[in-house]
Amino acid sequence: MSAIEAMSSEAEVARARAALAVNVCAARGLQEVLRTSLGPKGTVKMLVSGAGDIKLTKDGNVLLHEMQIQHPTASLIAKVATAQDDITGDGTTSNVLIIGELLKQADLYISEGLHPRIIAEGFEAAKEKALEVLEEVKIKKEMEREILLDVARTSLQTKVHAKLADVLTEAVVDSVLAVRRPGYPVDLFMVEIVEMKHKSETDTKLIDHGARHPAMKKRVEDAFILTCNVSLEYEKTEVSSGFFYKTAEEKENLVKAERKFIEDRVQKIIDLKDKVCALSNKGFVVINQKGIDPFSLDVLAKHGIVVLRRAKRRNMERLSLACGGMAVNSLEDLCIDCLGHAGLVPEYTLGEKKFTFIENCVNPLSVTLLVKGPNNHTLTQVKDAVRDGLRAVKNAIEDGCVVPGAGAVEVAIAEALVTYKHSVKGRARLGVQAFADALLIIPKVLAQNSGYDLQETLVKVQAEHSESKQIIGIDLNTGEPMVAADAGIWDNYCVKKQLLHSCAVIATNLLLVDEIMRAGLSSLKG
């Protein structure tokens, strides 16, 4: 009996060549959108939300997250590219470009009658060889500050304009080096990013919020820091229980006893301050997670203690890492070991808010990056760039190696693949050739976005690479070939590795699709 195909009349079906055409069109459509955003000379996209909010960005990850993508194939490619960002923090735009180009190159051969499975085998062989070449061209380096600055600058210049990238580079590298601990993985949660509408420069400081007593100093130098989570507020007992008094004196005595309970706690802080500051002229700052009532603030202010109350929990965790000492939950065992230290604790008024900065910590394991900008979309753009910069520095430290940037790696791998294809038997070598041609999309687009002729630039770079046998990239300021390593343009090894893996896998999967069914709603009922 012949097979019966039951399908809704509303379902859409695309088979064989039509299915491939759908996938190739979607990949190339997405490629065209992101193409102009690649590299430091890429253009910026303006995204406008339904509410009229404007976002200016050239970060591929942000674009793919914010764009409303309807097409299923384009949506799949976007998810792969954003997964690349989640894993390595960069390479989103390159991912989309290479997948689109792999499908375009494959389509040329398939239109001449080559089976997609043979091209897929060629892609797989090319991927293995490309990863071997990547291992050869990677450069192991001691990750010192200068190298990390180059890595961060290369990443940041593709997200924001060069002048701002130079300012952010040092802030990003210094913050990662501050929280880096030998023998432990780099924890980027220890770098908090705080944004603020204020002028246009960026700076890096550790900050905390909190209102306090007007009589307290606005600036404390060479200060001991006590971080605690203890209530110093007078709390009426009647809230949760009822009392019957015989006389008014009994009520007065109860109130005094309750007040004394808080006063004893305050006195313990004052005693510790007198003990550690008796022989020196050091300041004393208390940062409390819970509330402090006006009476306690008065008493502490009279003894020259600066107090911040109701600090956020995440700030408390970072403060003990930044300043040293321990966060205490009880004032019973107060000792000098509980105290941290900071060189300077000033209060600044920025805009309408007051901020307390905690600076000059001896060995901080946590920092806060303060991002300033004149308006919301600038702040958002800088924040996204800073996150990518932090990830780039972290990747470089954890990889222990870097690879040359400026399209140099792609040119080197493409040339190696052209040589390698002669050792591949059968028609699979056409898949290797397609893979090599597809990788060249990166140097081509870098040159095109910088305003140079892409064919001429690529030919120059390939000729220089063949003659010098060095890893040659494109100088985007002149359009001429250059040795990327000498110019200090470094990419992350793990980003390139992930890129080669994911692009080949997704392109292969999309090539092998020979039927697309988009079922109508009626077929989902019952």
Side-chain angles (χ1 to χ4, degrees):
M1 183 179 166
S2 62
I4 297 172
E5 194 170 317
M7 190 176 292
S8 163
S9 57
E10 293 177 29
E12 297 170 28
V13 183
R15 290 193 176 89
R17 286 287 302 155
L20 185 64
V22 166
N23 287 343
V24 172
C25 276
R28 292 188 64 181
L30 200 56
Q31 185 194 48
E32 286 305 314
V33 173
L34 293 187
R35 187 184 180 110
T36 52
S37 297
L38 184 74
K41 303 276 180 140
T43 50
V44 179
K45 303 273 187 275
M46 180 191 283
L47 298 169
V48 184
S49 73
D53 294 333
I54 293 174
K55 202 168 203 177
L56 294 173
T57 184
K58 56 196 273 198
D59 185 343
N61 184 44
V62 176
L63 280 169
L64 292 174
H65 270 300
E66 300 282 338
M67 284 192 320
Q68 303 271 320
I69 299 173
Q70 300 290 337
H71 196 288
T73 308
S75 180
L76 176 68
I77 295 171
K79 281 174 185 165
V80 172
T82 50
Q84 158 100 17
D85 190 273
D86 295 339
I87 296 165
T88 61
D90 206 354
T92 321
T93 310
S94 305
N95 204 314
V96 172
L97 292 185
I98 294 175
I99 291 174
E101 197 64 17
L102 281 169
L103 290 176
K104 176 184 164 188
Q105 295 294 338
D107 194 37
L108 295 174
Y109 290 107
I110 292 168
S111 62
E112 293 171 2
L114 189 63
H115 195 280
R117 172 58 70 187
I118 293 169
I119 291 194
E121 287 170 8
F123 279 0
E124 188 58 34
K127 182 186 84 173
E128 297 301 327
K129 180 64 180 173
L131 291 170
E132 285 174 26
V133 177
L134 186 66
E135 288 292 327
E136 290 165 17
V137 301
K138 76 177 184 185
I139 298 169
K140 283 195 178 297
K141 282 187 175 284
E142 196 62 42
M143 287 300 152
E144 294 169 353
R145 190 167 182 272
E146 288 306 311
I147 291 290
L148 294 176
L149 284 170
D150 287 339
V151 170
R153 190 178 294 110
T154 305
S155 173
L156 287 166
Q157 281 185 345
T158 64
K159 308 288 185 285
V160 290
H161 60 85
K163 197 172 179 183
L164 179 56
D166 289 339
V167 176
L168 293 177
T169 299
E170 296 214 3
V172 163
V173 172
D174 289 341
S175 57
V176 175
L177 291 177
V179 302
R180 177 185 179 188
R181 295 156 70 185
Y184 292 91
V186 178
D187 183 4
L188 293 184
F189 286 108
M190 290 297 106
V191 181
E192 186 182 14
I193 301 172
V194 173
E195 59 183 71
M196 188 177 303
K197 282 190 199 174
H198 180 71
K199 296 186 182 175
S200 59
E201 75 280 10
T202 56
D203 198 359
T204 168
K205 299 270 172 68
L206 188 99
I207 63 174
D208 205 319
H209 312 262
R212 54 200 189 162
H213 197 277
M216 291 176 183
K217 294 179 185 173
K218 302 286 183 196
R219 182 185 176 91
V220 183
E221 293 182 12
D222 197 13
F224 287 110
I225 309 283
L226 172 64
T227 52
C228 53
N229 181 21
V230 180
S231 176
L232 295 176
E233 281 182 298
Y234 167 61
E235 293 167 6
K236 291 167 69 177
T237 319
E238 281 89 349
V239 171
S240 55
S241 57
F243 285 89
F244 297 96
Y245 306 106
K246 291 177 186 172
T247 61
E249 283 78 19
E250 281 185 0
K251 186 172 182 181
E252 286 292 320
N253 290 338
L254 182 68
V255 171
K256 282 179 185 172
E258 288 171 341
R259 182 71 240 164
K260 188 174 184 306
F261 178 68
I262 298 298
E263 284 171 356
D264 288 346
R265 285 182 170 183
V266 173
Q267 192 56 46
K268 282 175 183 165
I269 295 173
I270 293 168
D271 291 344
L272 179 67
K273 186 256 179 183
D274 292 342
K275 182 178 173 185
V276 297
C277 299
L279 303 173
S280 64
N281 195 26
K282 290 189 175 183
F284 197 90
V285 178
V286 176
I287 300 170
N288 193 18
Q289 195 174 329
K290 290 185 177 166
I292 303 174
D293 62 21
F295 292 113
S296 304
L297 282 172
D298 268 342
V299 175
L300 291 165
K302 281 174 188 167
H303 286 84
I305 298 173
V306 175
V307 184
L308 302 179
R309 61 186 175 184
R310 295 198 178 90
K312 292 177 183 169
R313 183 180 168 186
R314 63 175 187 208
N315 284 353
M316 298 297 284
E317 289 168 358
R318 290 192 171 95
L319 275 168
S320 53
L321 286 164
C323 310
M326 293 182 293
V328 294
N329 290 315
S330 163
L331 298 177
E332 300 303 319
D333 307 316
L334 276 185
C335 61
I336 296 177
D337 296 338
C338 300
L339 299 175
H341 183 269
L344 181 63
V345 184
E347 181 187 279
Y348 293 120
T349 304
L350 297 171
E352 297 173 1
K353 295 180 182 176
K354 288 185 178 178
F355 290 88
T356 304
F357 286 66
I358 293 172
E359 302 174 11
N360 304 346
C361 303
V362 181
N363 187 22
L365 297 173
S366 170
V367 296
T368 299
L369 276 167
L370 176 59
V371 175
K372 299 177 187 171
N375 47 43
N376 281 335
H377 60 256
T378 308
L379 284 172
T380 310
Q381 192 179 2
V382 173
K383 261 174 67 180
D384 290 335
V386 165
R387 283 203 183 92
D388 286 353
L390 290 170
R391 291 287 291 277
V393 175
K394 175 180 185 268
N395 289 340
I397 291 171
E398 291 180 351
D399 290 341
C401 60
V402 286
V403 293
V409 170
E410 286 81 4
V411 170
I413 293 175
E415 183 146 323
L417 287 176
V418 171
T419 310
Y420 167 70
K421 81 169 181 184
H422 299 298
S423 63
V424 178
K425 291 186 172 61
R427 290 180 298 167
R429 66 169 60 180
L430 297 174
V432 177
Q433 180 64 52
F435 198 96
D437 292 340
L439 285 180
L440 293 175
I441 186 72
I442 301 297
K444 279 181 188 173
V445 171
L446 284 173
Q448 191 177 21
N449 288 350
S450 305
Y452 304 111
D453 183 274
L454 57 93
Q455 301 295 354
E456 185 188 352
T457 309
L458 185 61
V459 168
K460 278 186 195 170
V461 170
Q462 286 177 314
E464 182 72 25
H465 180 268
S466 301
E467 287 169 22
S468 67
K469 295 300 177 193
Q470 286 182 293
I471 308 295
I472 303 291
I474 302 169
D475 184 341
L476 299 185
N477 294 320
T478 62
E480 296 298 315
M482 66 163 180
V483 180
D486 294 351
I489 298 174
W490 300 108
D491 278 339
N492 287 134
Y493 164 74
C494 64
V495 172
K496 295 290 181 193
K497 187 176 177 182
Q498 179 70 21
L499 198 61
L500 291 169
H501 266 298
S502 59
C503 290
V505 170
I506 292 300
T508 302
N509 284 347
L510 292 175
L511 275 181
L512 296 177
V513 171
D514 72 340
E515 190 162 350
I516 299 173
M517 285 177 275
R518 192 171 198 166
L521 289 176
S522 57
S523 66
L524 302 176
K525 290 177 184 173

